[in-house]
Amino acid sequence: MNFLELVQDRYSCKSMDGRKVEKEKLDYILEAGRMAPTAKNLQGQRIYVVESQEGLAKIDKITPCRYNSSTVILVTWNKDEVFIYPGGKRDSGIEDATIVATHMMLAAKSIGVDSCWINFFDPEEVAKEFNLAENEEVLMLLNLGYPAEGAGPLANHGSRKAIEETVKYI
């Protein structure tokens, strides 16, 4: 499968069968995240793997969107390890963590593990439940697992605007 086929096939799986992601596959996914580029190579991302019943119960308390996944990756970034852009109004935290998360989602798909990017939660509640350091900011939760029978992409998954609507040459 080439890269465009991979990104076309990947979808947010909202019904998983609960099977555990094998350690070697999880390690591969985490390594893909570790290899992701970050501004000035600061690598401010912090990745937490939630697989315990206690941890998954916390996720279920925070959001209704675990969808029976066996593994949830909590992606955060350290606010003290970001590049501050000229002008001082923005930093690289969100984009760095997003690149890391995207690498993990695509790596997962490449080895037959489905995922779902979850942002339906209160980041402060996540930080409190998982006792995160004050200098950590929560980006997202990434469900990992295998699709339940009948699972599939939303009906509009393949719908895309014409490239002329989203790309301009200037």
Side-chain angles (χ1 to χ4, degrees):
M1 173 182 306
N2 70 40
F3 185 73
L4 282 180
E5 291 169 333
L6 176 80
V7 296
Q8 286 172 339
D9 285 350
R10 195 234 154 245
Y11 70 95
S12 293
C13 185
K14 296 182 179 183
S15 181
M16 298 194 184
D17 68 6
R19 281 185 290 152
K20 187 172 173 61
V21 175
E22 299 87 345
K23 181 172 178 9
E24 60 275 1
K25 288 186 176 184
L26 182 57
D27 289 347
Y28 180 86
I29 294 164
L30 294 169
E31 182 65 11
R34 189 179 76 87
M35 298 307 297
T38 59
K40 303 293 184 188
N41 200 27
L42 292 171
Q43 303 173 46
Q45 74 271 13
R46 297 296 180 268
I47 307 300
Y48 298 92
V49 179
V50 183
E51 293 182 309
S52 70
Q53 290 305 312
E54 176 187 352
L56 293 173
K58 288 180 180 183
I59 297 293
D60 291 339
K61 179 179 169 186
I62 292 164
T63 181
C65 300
R66 182 166 64 91
Y67 305 126
N68 200 36
S69 63
S70 60
T71 302
V72 178
I73 296 179
L74 169 56
V75 180
T76 75
W77 77 91
N78 182 325
K79 293 186 274 189
D80 299 328
E81 295 179 19
V82 295
F83 175 68
I84 308 296
Y85 291 108
K89 294 181 182 175
R90 288 186 45 212
D91 67 54
S92 65
I94 290 173
E95 69 191 45
D96 289 345
T98 299
I99 294 167
V100 169
T102 301
H103 270 58
M104 290 190 295
M105 285 189 328
L106 294 175
K109 182 63 179 174
S110 79
I111 57 173
V113 176
D114 279 9
S115 64
C116 188
W117 179 299
I118 304 300
N119 59 7
F120 188 80
F121 61 84
D122 177 348
E124 290 179 13
E125 188 179 354
V126 172
K128 181 179 174 187
E129 279 296 325
F130 288 97
N131 200 29
L132 300 180
E134 271 189 47
N135 65 344
E136 282 188 69
E137 192 76 30
V138 177
L139 173 71
M140 55 87 82
L141 303 170
L142 180 62
N143 290 342
L144 294 174
Y146 299 98
E149 187 173 331
L154 297 175
N156 68 348
H157 173 74
S159 175
R160 293 289 181 271
K161 292 180 179 181
I163 199 161
E164 297 80 16
E165 291 185 56
T166 61
V167 176
K168 302 290 181 208
Y169 290 87
I170 55 175

